[in-house]
């Protein structure tokens, strides 16, 4: 008889500027859908997904109930409602847009805001819109240096094509579990 998998609930806060693809990443990951039309998130939207992973420290099976908090990408709202949104967060999925370099730099303010409430929680960065490589405004070296200086693992994703999306969420889960 095999032992039952450990069950973990994990609150993840999506962080990043408006129009980087936070909602699209969740939609692709949870529903395997993509909507080309932009719809701004008003306030916050909470989505759940369960997944099984091998624990990064000893390999035992962990069932994770992810609770994804998709937060409107405006600094005013972020700072106004941070106590309500970020309390109890276990991790941050920072999202930048490959075609807008400032969205990578803005992740510092997002991370700082979340950490003032949730403490020193792990952050995983995704650089979304990898399908728009021809319009890229930052290169791998820039992204790598930014994330390395902060101790953030990172990867490319495309909510549109689905490339790297599942791996990014699983990478974040493993990063949180390893802490």
């Amino acid at each position: 008889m095999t032992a039952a998998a450990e069950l973990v609930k994990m609150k993840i806060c999506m962080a990043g500027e408006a129009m980087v693809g936070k909602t699209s990443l969740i939609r692709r990951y949870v529903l395997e859908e993509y909507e080309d039309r932009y719809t701004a998130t008003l306030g916050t939207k909470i989505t759940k997904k369960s997944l099984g992973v091998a624990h990064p420290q000893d390999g035992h099976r962990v069932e994770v109930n992810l609770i994804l908090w998709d937060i409107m990408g405006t600094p005013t709202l972020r700072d106004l409602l941070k106590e309500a949104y970020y309390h109890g967060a276990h991790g941050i999925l920072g999202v930048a847009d490959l075609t807008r370099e400032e969205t990578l730099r803005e992740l510092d303010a997002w991370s700082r805001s979340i950490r003032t409430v949730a403490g020193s929680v792990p952050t995983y960065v995704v650089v979304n819109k990898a399908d728009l490589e021809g319009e890229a405004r930052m290169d791998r070296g820039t992204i790598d240096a930014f994330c390395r200086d902060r101790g953030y693992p990172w990867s490319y994703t495309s909510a549109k094509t689905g490339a790297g999306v599942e791996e990014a969420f699983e990478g974040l889960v493993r990063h949180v579990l390893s802490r």
Side-chain angles (χ1 to χ4, degrees):
M1 185 170 171
T2 59
E6 176 185 356
L7 182 61
V8 174
K9 284 187 179 179
M10 195 178 288
K11 178 180 178 178
I12 300 299
C13 290
M14 304 293 286
E17 295 297 287
M19 298 172 54
V20 294
K22 298 180 299 289
T23 303
S24 294
L25 285 166
I26 291 172
R27 188 177 179 92
R28 171 61 75 182
Y29 181 58
V30 175
L31 302 173
E32 297 181 20
E33 294 175 0
Y34 177 77
E35 175 62 54
D36 225 2
R37 181 188 60 203
Y38 176 71
T39 307
T41 300
L42 300 176
T44 189
K45 183 172 190 247
I46 300 166
T47 307
K48 296 177 182 177
K49 168 127 179 169
S50 295
L51 71 149
V53 296
H55 197 288
Q57 289 170 340
D58 63 12
H60 77 274
R61 188 92 180 132
V62 180
E63 276 301 316
V64 179
N65 287 338
L66 270 183
I67 303 141
L68 303 167
W69 283 61
D70 184 8
I71 297 150
M72 187 175 180
T74 60
T76 311
L77 191 73
R78 169 189 72 206
D79 296 333
L80 188 65
L81 298 171
K82 66 184 180 184
E83 295 294 328
Y85 287 166
Y86 305 141
H87 182 76
H90 299 100
I92 302 167
L93 187 68
V95 183
D97 176 342
L98 183 64
T99 69
R100 295 166 36 219
E101 186 173 359
E102 71 279 5
T103 64
L104 184 65
R105 290 189 304 271
E106 287 297 326
L107 290 179
D108 281 337
W110 283 94
S111 180
R112 211 172 19 257
S113 181
I114 294 169
R115 288 187 166 133
T116 61
V117 176
S120 183
V121 295
T123 299
Y124 187 102
V125 170
V126 297
V127 178
N128 194 34
K129 304 186 184 180
D131 54 290
L132 300 177
E133 191 176 8
E135 299 171 41
R137 294 292 174 262
M138 55 185 142
D139 60 24
R140 179 177 280 280
T142 301
I143 302 161
D144 201 46
F146 177 89
C147 291
R148 187 179 50 249
D149 288 350
R150 292 153 182 80
Y152 302 161
W154 73 276
S155 60
Y156 288 113
T157 58
S158 170
K160 185 173 189 173
T161 67
V165 174
E166 192 166 327
E167 296 84 354
F169 281 96
E170 289 176 8
L172 170 63
V173 166
R174 284 192 298 277
H175 186 49
V176 171
L177 288 172
S178 70
R179 301 287 285 280

